[in-house]
């Protein structure tokens, strides 16, 4: 559902207005003067591993970096790093966030390799860029002495990737819902897009179990992997619409103990996404029907059912709700005004990001890149080029200040 627009007590400030402030001009100039420092922080952050559910070491580093920006910083029970810049209005909050976690498992080599200006390492762009942007905006605002009207929370959150199920952002929205007026999410590189539409998704795990046995002496016993393969073939032949766009991905398969053993279990992890909740439900039903048929066909074709039968279940590992930002929202107006000021053009996109949670809760939210360019996301060949980074940082900064506002100077 479209989010509500915050009441008339606060209007998004246009950059042409806020840049009249010498503090704002100083912050804008800070980005261009400190690009090497920003690059170094991105390398430093990226080289601290942050596998799913193991973000604490990187959280400690980011906590220290935010504290150096003059913020009061804490880590909540979920693992989110929260740095607070008090505003003149302490009853209204704007969040700037970037996720801490990467998709890469423990043991992945994350040493950054430099190739000219290009930085190469798993996670360097997603989300080393966003985290470097978070630190940079906090530092620029601190150095310039900016006092916002609304309180700003600078947050490095956990659980954005994979099976994290957006747990960090869920905890933040739960904690600050009554005060939270807007959220700006920094995710990856680029300045060519703004995510204002939340793509709904579900992550599911299929588990098929059986008695297991020896490949020779127990041949003909029902085999969980066989059943999983039968069901998977049925499922991948499911027809999905191109409009509303709907997708599925068989992402992980596990099972078996050795090549000469009939396995006692087989697992499959599936990601399904759609612009329509109805299509998402249809696709989940198709998966359940396919698994049911796969188990049935394997049982019917087995020669020996005396030692046991197959059992199966499907668990939901995570769900991401949909939502959409109203075109007339103050946050969108601030983003467009920032684009105009820095001479940038960006298209509206639908995607699955941390912004899903506030959007679904009726809170204004967007997800944008933090500048520069990147590629190879979620692969060992991931790279980032900081050329043009300052445009992305200025865009994000002006959007943030546009929606948070500046505190009025007290009369002397």
């Amino acid at each position: 559902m479209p989010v509500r627009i915050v009441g008339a007590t606060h209007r998004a400030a246009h950059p042409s207005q806020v840049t009249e402030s010498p503090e704002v001009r100083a912050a804008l100039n800070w980005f261009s003067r400190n690009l090497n420092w920003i690059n170094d922080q991105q390398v430093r952050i990226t080289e601290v591993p942050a596998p799913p559910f193991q973000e604490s070491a990187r959280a400690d580093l980011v906590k220290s970096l935010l504290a150096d920006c003059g913020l009061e910083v804490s880590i909540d029970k979920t693992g989110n790093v929260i740095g607070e810049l008090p505003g003149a209005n302490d009853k209204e909050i704007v969040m700037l966030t970037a996720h801490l976690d990467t998709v890469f498992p423990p043991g992945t080599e994350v040493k950054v390799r430099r190739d000219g200006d290009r930085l190469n390492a798993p996670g360097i762009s997603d989300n080393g860029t966003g985290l470097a942007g978070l630190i940079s905006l906090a530092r620029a605002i601190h150095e310039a002495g900016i006092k916002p009207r609304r309180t700003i929370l600078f947050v490095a959150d956990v659980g954005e990737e994979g099976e994290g199920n957006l747990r960090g952002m869920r905890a933040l929205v739960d904690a600050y819902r009554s005060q939270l007026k807007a959220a700006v999410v920094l995710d990856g590189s680029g300045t060519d897009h703004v995510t204002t539409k939340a793509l709904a998704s579900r992550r599911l795990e299929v588990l098929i179990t059986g008695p297991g046995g020896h490949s020779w002496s127990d041949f003909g016993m029902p085999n969980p992997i066989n059943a999983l393969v039968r069901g998977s073939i049925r499922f991948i032949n499911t027809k999905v619409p191109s409009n509303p766009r709907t997708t599925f991905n068989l992402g992980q398969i596990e099972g078996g103990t050795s090549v000469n053993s009939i396995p006692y279990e087989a697992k499959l992890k599936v990601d399904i996404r759609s612009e329509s909740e109805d299509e998402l439900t249809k696709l989940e039903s198709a998966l359940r029907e396919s698994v049911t048929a796969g188990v049935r066909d394997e049982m019917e074709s087995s020669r020996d059912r005396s030692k046991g039968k197959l059992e199966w279940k499907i668990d939901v590992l995570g769900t991401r709700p949909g939502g959409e930002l109203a075109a007339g929202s103050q946050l969108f107006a601030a983003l467009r005004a920032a684009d105009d000021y820095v001479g940038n053009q960006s298209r509206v996109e639908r995607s699955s990001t941390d912004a899903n949670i506030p959007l679904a809760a009726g809170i204004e939210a967007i997800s944008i890149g933090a500048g520069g360019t990147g590629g190879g996301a979620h692969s060992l060949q991931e790279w980032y080029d900081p050329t043009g980074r300052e445009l992305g940082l200025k865009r994000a900064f002006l959007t943030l200040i546009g929606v948070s506002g500046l505190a009025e100077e007290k009369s002397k």
Side-chain angles (χ1 to χ4, degrees):
M1 119 174 65
V3 303
R4 58 181 171 77
I5 299 175
V6 180
T9 57
H10 175 75
R11 293 182 178 273
H14 193 280
S16 61
Q17 296 172 314
V18 299
T19 52
E20 295 175 3
S21 160
E23 290 83 5
V24 170
R25 290 199 300 272
L28 289 169
N29 291 332
W30 185 92
F31 296 117
S32 300
R33 294 198 316 269
N34 290 277
L35 290 175
N36 288 336
W37 181 86
I38 298 169
N39 293 342
D40 289 344
Q41 303 318 301
Q42 183 168 346
V43 170
R44 186 179 176 190
I45 291 167
T46 301
E47 290 184 343
V48 177
F53 300 96
Q54 299 181 44
E55 303 99 332
S56 59
R58 183 175 286 185
D60 288 340
L61 171 59
V62 173
K63 179 183 178 182
S64 174
L65 291 171
L66 287 176
D68 289 343
C69 299
L71 303 174
E72 189 71 31
V73 189
S74 61
I75 297 179
D76 69 13
K77 63 181 181 181
T78 307
N80 298 313
V81 183
I82 304 170
E84 181 177 348
L85 177 61
N89 180 352
D90 61 2
K91 299 190 184 321
E92 295 186 348
I93 289 173
V94 175
M95 282 199 311
L96 180 72
T97 76
H99 69 84
L100 284 163
D101 55 323
T102 70
V103 299
F104 303 100
T108 302
E109 176 56 63
V110 292
K111 180 70 176 177
V112 177
R113 295 174 291 104
R114 295 179 183 260
D115 181 11
D117 291 334
R118 179 178 287 197
L119 306 174
N120 302 275
I124 187 67
S125 182
D126 183 13
N127 194 28
T129 310
L131 290 166
L134 178 76
I135 300 301
S136 301
L137 265 68
R139 189 64 176 263
I141 288 170
H142 173 64
E143 295 285 342
I146 290 174
K147 304 298 182 186
R149 196 187 77 82
R150 288 172 164 166
T151 292
I152 300 176
L153 298 183
F154 296 85
V155 181
D157 62 292
V158 298
E160 194 275 342
E161 298 286 12
E163 294 171 32
N165 199 31
L166 306 183
R167 71 184 192 281
M169 184 58 81
R170 291 177 195 273
L172 292 164
V173 170
D174 285 345
Y176 298 104
R177 185 186 301 263
S178 64
Q179 299 168 277
L180 186 57
K181 300 305 177 183
V184 178
V185 175
L186 300 178
D187 197 344
S189 61
T191 57
D192 59 346
H193 72 280
V194 51
T195 297
T196 64
K197 302 175 182 180
L199 177 62
S201 68
R202 298 176 195 171
R203 278 86 187 264
L204 306 148
E205 181 180 69
V206 179
L207 173 64
I208 303 176
T209 58
H214 193 279
S215 63
W216 174 258
S217 59
D218 294 313
F219 179 72
M221 176 186 293
N223 185 318
I225 288 181
N226 290 355
L228 189 63
V229 171
R230 293 176 191 271
S232 297
I233 291 173
R234 283 177 176 265
F235 179 67
I236 62 177
N237 286 312
T238 302
K239 302 298 182 184
V240 295
S242 56
N243 185 24
R245 188 181 176 194
T246 303
T247 67
F248 59 81
N249 182 62
L250 278 60
Q252 286 183 282
I253 297 178
E254 302 175 17
T257 55
S258 70
V259 70
N260 60 331
S261 299
I262 297 173
Y264 62 87
E265 71 173 22
K267 294 180 181 179
L268 170 67
K269 292 181 181 179
V270 184
D271 173 277
I272 59 176
R273 304 183 184 212
S274 181
E275 295 174 342
S276 163
E277 285 284 352
D278 288 343
E279 292 297 332
L280 203 61
T281 299
K282 289 179 185 177
L283 198 51
E284 182 177 344
S285 295
L287 176 63
R288 294 180 184 277
E289 291 168 4
S290 297
V291 173
T292 300
V295 170
R296 181 197 64 221
D297 291 350
E298 175 63 14
M299 286 297 299
E300 289 179 352
S301 65
S302 61
R303 300 181 184 180
D304 182 2
R305 305 176 199 175
S306 63
K307 296 181 181 178
K309 62 179 182 177
L310 299 179
E311 303 284 351
W312 70 274
K313 66 175 182 174
I314 296 181
D315 291 328
V316 178
L317 299 176
T319 62
R320 296 190 177 198
E324 189 168 330
L325 180 69
S329 70
Q330 292 175 3
L331 178 55
F332 190 71
L335 181 280
R336 283 305 191 211
D339 270 340
D340 289 344
Y341 187 85
V342 300
N344 184 61
Q345 292 185 338
S346 59
R347 64 185 182 275
V348 170
E349 287 189 349
R350 184 186 299 273
S351 189
S352 180
T353 70
D354 269 329
N356 283 45
I357 301 303
L359 284 173
I363 297 166
E364 295 189 14
I366 58 172
S367 179
I368 57 177
T373 55
H378 292 197
S379 78
L380 299 179
Q381 290 73 47
E382 191 169 346
W383 59 271
Y384 175 72
D385 187 333
T387 303
R389 184 206 284 274
E390 63 269 31
L391 185 147
L393 295 175
K394 289 177 180 179
R395 177 193 188 218
F397 166 73
L398 290 171
T399 301
L400 179 67
I401 295 301
V403 76
S404 66
L406 297 175
E408 294 181 7
E409 293 186 10
K410 295 181 179 179
S411 300
K412 295 183 180 179

